[in-house]
Amino acid sequence: QAVLTQPPSASGTPGQRVTISCSGSRYNIENHIMHWYQQFPGMAPKLLITSNNERPSGVPDRFSASKSGTSASLAISRLQSEDEADYYCASWDNSLSGYMVFGGGTKLTVL
Amino acid sequence: GQLQESGPGLVKPSQTLSLTCSVSGDSISGGMFHWSWIRQQPGKGLEWIGHISDSGRTTYNPSLKSRVTISEDTTNNRFSLSLRSVTAADTAVYYCARQGPGYTGYEVDTWGQGILVIVSA
C-alpha cells in the first residue's frame, strides 16, 4: 500500500491536456517539495518535474506541476504518443524517522 | 554522474542480498548528495529502501530497516546494499540512485539502469 495515492490509470488523445493527481498528508506533500518521475517499460525512472515546476534539462514545458495542501498534480498539455508511460509522485515523509515515499504509479495511455 | 549496479541476480531464500553501486563522474564523499537504493517488484511501483549521505549517515525505510544496511566505500567510490533474510517478496529490480539534499526534497536526479534480483531456491 503506497503512502501517496495516485489513480492507477489515465488516458487522453493526442493534443489533449491530462492531469494526474497525487494525494498525501501533512507529513509529506504539504510540507516538502515533491517530485514526479516518468518511467518507460524496461527502463529506469527519470526525474520529470518538481512541485516548484522545475524541470531538468530536456524535459519539455508541456509538463507542469502544482501542489496545494496535501495534494499535488501533474499536468501534461498537448499530449503526444511519446508521453505514454508510468508516472510516479514522490515526497519526503516526516512521519516516523523520515523517509522517502512514492505513489503507486499512474499508467498513462495515449489513445 | 553515472551509476552502475552489480551483484548476483539470484539469491536463495533466507540468505543475504548484496549489491554494489559504482559511481563515476561524482564523489560519494563530496558535495551534498545522498546515495540511495530503490526497488521495484515485478509489475509494481517504486519503493525507497534507504540512503547514505556524503558524511556516511544512513536513513532507512521503516518497513525494511530491521533487515537493511547501506554502506560506503569511499576509496573505490561505491556504495552497497545488504538485505538480510530475503524472501520471494524481495524479488525486484534494484536501482541505485543519487538524491539531492533536503532543500530539494531529496529529489532523485540520477538513476542506475537497475539490476533484477530473483529470490528463489
Side-chain angles (χ1 to χ4, degrees):
Chain A
Q1 187 83 3
V3 173
L4 305 180
T5 301
Q6 296 180 238
S9 63
S11 63
T13 56
Q16 267 191 331
R17 182 178 187 271
V18 298
T19 60
I20 297 171
S21 62
C22 177
S23 177
S25 73
R26 69 180 191 274
Y27 296 111
N28 41 66
I29 291 177
E30 186 169 47
N31 288 295
H32 294 281
I33 295 171
M34 47 87 63
H35 324 109
W36 291 90
Y37 298 89
Q38 179 188 55
Q39 185 181 34
F40 296 106
M43 303 293 289
K46 78 166 190 178
L47 178 64
L48 188 65
I49 192 167
T50 74
S51 53
N52 289 344
N53 252 323
E54 294 175 344
R55 290 178 299 274
S57 172
V59 176
D61 61 6
R62 300 185 296 103
F63 293 89
S64 61
S66 62
K67 187 180 79 156
S68 178
T70 60
S71 295
S73 63
L74 171 71
I76 309 171
S77 60
R78 303 187 299 281
L79 193 65
Q80 299 181 3
S81 58
E82 67 206 48
D83 299 330
E84 186 162 293
D86 294 325
Y87 293 85
Y88 294 90
C89 59
S91 172
W92 193 254
D93 187 294
N94 273 342
S95 65
L96 303 174
S97 54
Y99 64 118
M100 186 155 188
V101 294
F102 286 94
T106 298
K107 180 172 180 56
L108 174 65
T109 300
V110 180
L111 302 169
Chain B
Q2 290 190 318
L3 296 85
Q4 178 69 58
E5 305 87 353
S6 61
L10 181 64
V11 181
K12 289 182 167 47
S14 80
Q15 293 193 340
T16 297
L17 180 161
S18 297
L19 298 175
T20 297
C21 182
S22 298
V23 179
S24 58
D26 255 324
S27 169
I28 65 169
S29 57
M32 300 175 290
F33 297 108
H34 296 72
W35 304 94
S36 312
W37 290 97
I38 297 165
R39 71 180 184 179
Q40 186 170 34
Q41 295 162 317
K44 300 288 180 63
L46 301 167
E47 181 179 31
W48 186 80
I49 299 170
H51 67 200
I52 187 166
S53 72
D54 61 324
S55 61
R57 180 178 179 228
T58 53
T59 305
Y60 301 124
N61 188 321
S63 69
L64 297 168
K65 186 174 183 177
S66 63
R67 299 193 291 132
V68 171
T69 301
I70 295 176
S71 59
E72 61 181 0
D73 175 0
T74 56
T75 301
N76 293 298
N77 207 41
R78 60 191 189 191
F79 61 104
S80 299
L81 169 70
S82 175
L83 180 64
R84 298 174 289 278
S85 304
V86 297
T87 69
D90 295 309
T91 293
V93 174
Y94 286 77
Y95 296 100
C96 61
R98 188 182 82 171
Q99 285 186 266
Y103 66 78
T104 71
Y106 298 99
E107 68 181 20
V108 184
D109 63 4
T110 309
W111 298 70
Q113 65 182 26
I115 183 169
L116 174 63
V117 179
I118 296 172
V119 178
S120 175

